[in-house]
Amino acid sequence: MNPTTAKKIFIFDDNLEILELCTEILEDLGCEVKTSPTTTNVEQQVLDYMPDLIFMDNWLPDISGIEATKLLKSNETLKKIPVLYFSANSNIDALAREAGADDYLAKPFDIDQFEEVIKKYVSA
């Protein structure tokens, strides 16, 4: 993938190990990655980057992943960006639905499963 067509992924997660692991996997897949450990000014953070896909953790400093996802999905400019809910909660499917996320991935995740989800949303 050449840099002009690299897919942009934004990951909101306060676990630095998760951020590092996901960034490494995504960069290996040819994606450009931005991460944030908080949802402070979430709409502005996303507007400044305009990613092709967003990973949203449930437990985040400032506002919850549910509230952050709802803000993004109610923003005319941002609502078409797929949001993938990303959490270790046992009821992640219900949380993802409540948030209005497009999909979800439970933690801990299998790397192959993670890559499959990425390809589903950012295939050329």
Side-chain angles (χ1 to χ4, degrees), residues 18 42-43 59 61 95 109 113:
I18 292 275
V42 67
E43 290 171 277
W59 301 108
L95 292 171
F109 55 84
Q113 186 184 21

Side-chain angles (χ1 to χ4, degrees), residues 16 32 88:
L16 296 180
E32 190 182 306

Side-chain angles (χ1 to χ4, degrees), residues 12-56:
F12 288 91
D13 200 312
D14 60 345
N15 181 324
L16 296 180
E17 288 176 7
I18 292 275
L19 291 177
E20 285 175 17
L21 174 67
C22 293
T23 298
E24 197 172 300
I25 295 167
L26 289 164
E27 286 177 347
D28 284 349
L29 292 173
C31 296
E32 190 182 306
V33 183
K34 181 172 175 65
T35 62
S36 177
T38 77
T39 49
T40 306
N41 300 322
V42 67
E43 290 171 277
Q44 193 59 53
Q45 286 193 67
V46 174
L47 279 166
D48 289 345
Y49 189 60
M50 289 308 287
D52 297 292
L53 177 64
I54 297 167
F55 278 89
M56 184 68 70

